[in-house]
Amino acid sequence: MSDPVIVGGGLAGGAAAALLAAAGRRPLVLEREREPKDKICGEFLSTEAQAHLAALGLDLARLGGAPIGGVRMVAGGRSVERPLPFRALGLTRKRLDEALLEHAGALGAQVRRGVSARAVGEGRLETSEGALTAPRLLLASGKHDVRGARREPSAGTLRGMVGFKSYFRLEPRQAAALAGFVEVVLFDGGYAGLQPVEDGLANLCLVIRQGAFEALGKTWPALQARLVDEPHLARRLEGAQAVSPRPLTVADIPYGHVHRGGGPDGLYRLGDQAAVIPSFSGDGMAIALHSARLAAQAVLQGAGAGAYHRRLADDVGRQIRLAVWLQRRAEGWPGRHAAVGALGLVPAALPRLAAWTRVPEAALRRAGLGVA
Ligand SMILES: Cc1cc2nc3c(=O)[nH]c(=O)nc-3n(C[C@H](O)[C@H](O)[C@H](O)COP(=O)(O)OP(=O)(O)OC[C@H]3O[C@@H](n4cnc5c(N)ncnc54)[C@H](O)[C@@H]3O)c2cc1C
């Protein structure tokens, strides 16, 4: 049986490569970037994501992320603080994805960097370095669609959100106040997450409705000025140094998309190619890793892509729908204030919400994973 080809060496691609290599296969990973790069992501690593990475044999402690034990939800002048029901980590994707890809290589995966997939055909792949036969293709290109295999957003997908991510070095007093927390600031048309990552940096990641961004004049300085209209962000960012002049951006994130099958039986979609959960849930990476595990198991058992996609949709569809519903509600003023109010009044609301918007423990166990 020929070895699978994996397009994309992000979390989903790297994890699938590591699993297949550990099982004695020699998957070929094509990653278009020659060097490790920053990625647009809040970089909140949930307990499920950590369990997946640990099960792959990745030593997360060595990577030095920032521990996160609590959440602060802020809307207007109101803020509520709760402990998280698990210990999360703030870890840059540049460091994490690279470590995972190296790990997959050390296990025996063939990793080719600087090679782009250009088009997917029946059992074939066009790349920047020529054509390949690929009877089993694992498409893990994240937000980027490849010609011949574009995602058809599923019903209920929430369109028109734009994402931004930037690093800041906060003033010492603000960095100390942020330490150990992820802060979610809800504002008209979107929300921002602020949290520490390794090396003393803070990750500011936000999503905003395309229309709201256009109304601001579609520039980063104007958006930053809008953000500091929020008193909480004004305080945190006062005197902060931006690490790069411009943020990373992504347009039209298809939140809520779940691929439910269809397409060739040798084409397995992984990560964001298969399912996209609203970012506030902090579980996108766990879903990407979960998809990698299920896809690798399907390939090793000789199961087709259809069965794999149905299983993934069963495992993650419900919480993605709920997260989309919550995101829609939080867009309006009453929903935002109700969300913060409910967390303030009902201490059990946060653990419940966290449980409902995560990959269920039963699905993790079925995939052969234990979660603390
Ligand atoms: C604004 C925002 C904030 C988020 N915050 C969080 C968070 O805090 N916590 C969390 O768990 N999740 C978060 N997520 C979700 C998370 O980032 C994604 O779910 C996750 O990155 C998906 O991993 P992936 O491997 O599918 O894709 P990616 O990580 O995007 O990897 C895809 C890889 O494929 C490569 N590639 C692309 N096209 C090609 C090609 N044609 N040929 C070869 N290589 C190619 C890319 O270079 C990249 O390395 C967030 C998402 C957004 C948009």
Side-chain angles (χ1 to χ4, degrees):
M1 203 186 274
S2 65
D3 284 315
V5 176
I6 302 175
V7 172
L11 275 193
L19 287 160
L20 290 165
R25 307 293 294 275
R26 292 253 300 148
L28 170 65
V29 184
L30 306 178
E31 167 52 52
R32 68 178 186 176
E33 303 293 348
R34 283 186 196 283
E35 304 287 334
K37 276 221 164 158
D38 284 323
K39 282 193 174 148
I40 186 151
C41 184
E43 302 181 328
F44 175 91
L45 205 55
S46 68
T47 187
E48 298 84 4
Q50 293 176 57
H52 272 290
L53 292 163
L56 295 173
L58 194 73
D59 182 3
L60 270 176
R62 185 179 60 85
L63 301 181
I68 296 178
V71 60
R72 267 186 210 116
M73 285 269 285
V74 185
R78 194 158 181 199
S79 155
V80 57
E81 185 177 308
R82 288 276 170 263
L84 281 171
F86 52 80
R87 191 181 142 102
L89 269 184
L91 180 60
T92 60
R93 294 293 302 276
K94 191 173 180 177
R95 190 171 286 184
L96 174 61
D97 290 25
E98 191 54 21
L100 183 55
L101 208 50
E102 262 178 29
H103 182 63
L107 288 168
Q110 313 165 66
V111 179
R112 283 169 62 192
R113 302 198 73 130
V115 184
S116 253
R118 298 234 165 110
V120 174
E122 191 78 23
R124 277 174 66 77
L125 182 68
E126 305 291 335
T127 80
S128 52
E129 296 197 345
L132 295 171
T133 26
R136 261 174 316 283
L137 182 67
L138 276 58
L139 190 58
S141 55
K143 295 141 195 75
H144 309 278
D145 285 344
V146 179
R147 195 150 49 86
R150 293 193 196 290
R151 286 170 297 180
E152 288 296 330
S154 52
T157 301
L158 198 157
R159 306 301 300 262
M161 299 300 286
V162 195
F164 296 82
K165 177 256 189 87
S166 193
Y167 293 115
F168 288 86
R169 199 169 287 284
L170 303 186
E171 282 278 293
R173 221 154 47 91
Q174 296 303 328
L178 180 65
F181 281 89
V182 55
E183 297 185 331
V184 182
V185 180
L186 307 172
F187 58 86
D188 208 16
Y191 54 90
L194 185 69
Q195 65 164 45
V197 290
E198 73 269 18
D199 299 338
L201 295 180
N203 171 323
L204 175 71
C205 194
L206 65 118
V207 294
I208 182 169
R209 281 231 153 260
Q210 177 79 33
F213 182 49
E214 280 167 7
L216 291 169
K218 280 176 83 172
T219 68
W220 175 236
L223 179 53
Q224 262 187 303
R226 166 66 190 89
L227 292 177
V228 296
D229 278 348
E230 300 297 323
H232 185 86
L233 287 175
R235 200 162 48 248
R236 286 284 180 268
L237 295 180
E238 194 179 0
Q241 284 177 334
V243 169
S244 57
R246 260 186 291 278
L248 292 175
T249 64
V250 58
D252 203 13
I253 308 164
Y255 284 133
H257 170 66
V258 178
H259 183 74
R260 292 180 186 277
D265 218 35
L267 178 65
Y268 303 74
R269 290 178 187 269
L270 274 61
D272 281 359
Q273 281 291 311
V276 185
I277 192 163
S279 311
F280 76 84
S281 74
D283 224 29
M285 289 191 268
I287 290 178
L289 292 162
H290 189 66
S291 72
R293 178 165 282 269
L294 295 187
Q297 287 172 351
V299 167
L300 292 169
Q301 290 159 7
Y308 150 72
H309 286 126
R310 282 190 294 279
R311 165 111 185 252
L312 180 66
D314 279 353
D315 281 1
V316 303
R318 192 182 57 85
Q319 51 275 42
I320 290 183
R321 278 195 302 279
L322 174 65
V324 167
W325 185 86
L326 287 168
Q327 179 158 321
R328 283 188 203 277
R329 299 287 88 69
E331 276 185 15
W333 185 89
R336 285 200 297 282
H337 288 262
V340 175
L343 285 188
L345 286 173
V346 189
L350 181 79
R352 280 211 201 113
L353 204 64
W356 290 337
T357 55
R358 321 203 80 74
V359 182
E361 262 184 60
L364 295 174
R365 271 196 296 274
R366 274 198 305 277
L369 211 78
V371 180

